[in-house]
């Protein structure tokens, strides 16, 4: 909401074709009907992967790059949890 948001990278809406936008909304509608799971389970849910695939397709990521994104997310969450436990 403030200046800190400028540090983040965002995929511009213009990067999504009309079909990709529709598919993203369709997959999100399905996903939002259930509870969010802990990240270590969420990343393996088929509906989560389907939503992510729309974004990954727009970004042009290979399967290896997609898996690297998931691995990085898990590593960041683990590091954050470890830091929280140490305080």
């Amino acid at each position: 909401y403030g200046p800190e948001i400028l540090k983040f990278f965002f995929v511009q809406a213009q990067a999504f074709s009309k079909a990709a936008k529709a598919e993203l909304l369709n997959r999100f509608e399905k996903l939002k009907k259930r509870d969010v799971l802990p990240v270590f389970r969420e990343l393996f849910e088929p509906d989560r992967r389907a939503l992510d695939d729309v974004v990954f397709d727009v970004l042009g990521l290979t399967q290896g790059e997609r898996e690297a994104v998931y691995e990085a997310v898990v590593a960041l969450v683990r590091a954050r949890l470890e830091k929280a436990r140490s305080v």
Side-chain angles (χ1 to χ4, degrees):
Y1 83 98
E4 66 277 1
I5 201 161
L6 297 175
K7 296 177 186 176
F8 295 98
F9 293 101
F10 295 94
V11 178
Q12 297 293 318
Q14 299 89 333
F16 290 86
S17 67
K18 190 173 183 178
K21 286 179 191 176
E23 190 61 28
L24 188 66
L25 288 174
N26 178 42
R27 292 179 184 193
F28 179 73
E29 287 298 321
K30 292 177 183 176
L31 188 70
K32 76 177 190 177
K33 293 177 183 174
R34 68 165 175 81
D35 291 334
V36 176
L37 302 171
V39 69
F40 304 108
R41 287 184 47 209
E42 186 71 39
L43 295 180
F44 296 100
E45 291 296 309
D47 56 353
R48 162 59 61 183
R49 292 257 175 159
L51 177 80
D52 293 346
D53 281 342
V54 176
V55 177
F56 290 157
D57 287 347
V58 169
L59 294 174
L61 298 183
T62 66
Q63 189 59 40
E65 291 167 329
R66 294 168 194 225
E67 293 305 318
V69 168
Y70 290 128
E71 289 172 14
V73 168
V74 168
L76 288 170
V77 170
R78 281 196 175 123
R80 181 67 186 124
L81 291 173
E82 288 297 319
K83 183 176 180 179
R85 279 186 226 139
S86 70
V87 175

